[in-house]
Amino acid sequence: MNQAVLILIKPDGLKKSLTGNILTRLSETKLEIVAAKIVRVPRKLAEEHYKHLKDKPFFEEIVKYIQGELHDRKKVLALVYWGENAIKKCRELAGATNPEEAEATSIRGSYGRITTSGVYENVIHVSSDESEAKREIKLWFEPQDIIVELYPQKEVVCKECKRTVWA
Ligand code: CDP
Ligand code: MG
């Protein structure tokens, strides 16, 4: 069964220059990259991304973390991988949420850490299931950012919209 999955290389992954290593690990899956972009994460996007964790004591910290407030790297690399069992394959490579519990050879086991304030800095986000993947991909990407039509889309005509173009 072909699936799409949202991957984020989190600010700690970028700060530690792990982008190449992580993408190399992910290439083991033989999945296809169908979208990729660098995103400066507004607070609203961070809160929406982690809305299922709103009641957790660490919510405020992970919102700051994904925004790059803890790493002086105010960006993430967002990618969509697509193919057979994409979610399971990527979650297995990523390893457990807690980097101390993640298998040593997994991405999080290799590169993650727990901060003194208790946040799991685990260098990568991977959608947890198909419905979360759909919700997250629609949150992070516009249809035109993705080279395949993952979900139903439509064209709208906007006459009065303001956008920046090359001068
Ligand atoms: O990212 P994953 O789906 O594995 O875990 P999650 O339960 O959706 O949590 C989202 C993120 O919150 C994790 O990746 C961790 O960075 C962070 N977290 C944490 O710092 N402490 C926890 N006890 C649980 C999650
Ligand atoms: Mg999750």
Side-chain angles (χ1 to χ4, degrees), residues 27-76:
S27 70
E28 289 168 26
T29 61
K30 307 277 200 297
L31 296 165
E32 192 183 340
I33 298 173
V34 293
K37 64 176 176 178
I38 284 278
V39 186
R40 197 166 303 283
V41 186
R43 183 164 175 109
K44 199 162 169 270
L45 175 59
E47 285 181 354
E48 194 60 29
H49 177 75
Y50 282 133
K51 71 175 186 187
H52 59 295
L53 300 170
K54 193 143 187 64
D55 299 331
K56 301 282 185 195
F58 53 83
F59 180 72
E60 185 58 32
E61 281 298 296
I62 59 170
V63 165
K64 280 201 222 147
Y65 168 29
I66 203 75
Q67 285 192 277
E69 302 284 337
L70 313 179
H71 295 93
D72 192 28
R73 284 289 187 288
K74 295 195 173 51
K75 59 194 170 190
V76 302

Side-chain angles (χ1 to χ4, degrees), residues 1 13-14 16 18 20 28 42 54 59 61 63 70 75 80 91 105 119 138-139 144 146 151 159-160:
M1 176 200 26
L14 295 179
K16 291 173 174 171
L18 292 171
E28 289 168 26
K54 193 143 187 64
F59 180 72
E61 281 298 296
V63 165
L70 313 179
K75 59 194 170 190
V80 178
R91 291 227 23 132
T105 56
V119 177
K138 287 181 166 185
L139 192 61
Q144 65 268 21
I146 305 174
Y151 312 113
K159 282 193 184 129
E160 295 291 321

Side-chain angles (χ1 to χ4, degrees), residues 80-98:
V80 178
Y81 280 77
W82 188 84
E84 183 77 18
N85 282 324
I87 296 174
K88 186 165 177 278
K89 284 178 182 162
C90 292
R91 291 227 23 132
E92 263 174 27
L93 268 183
T97 307
N98 178 342

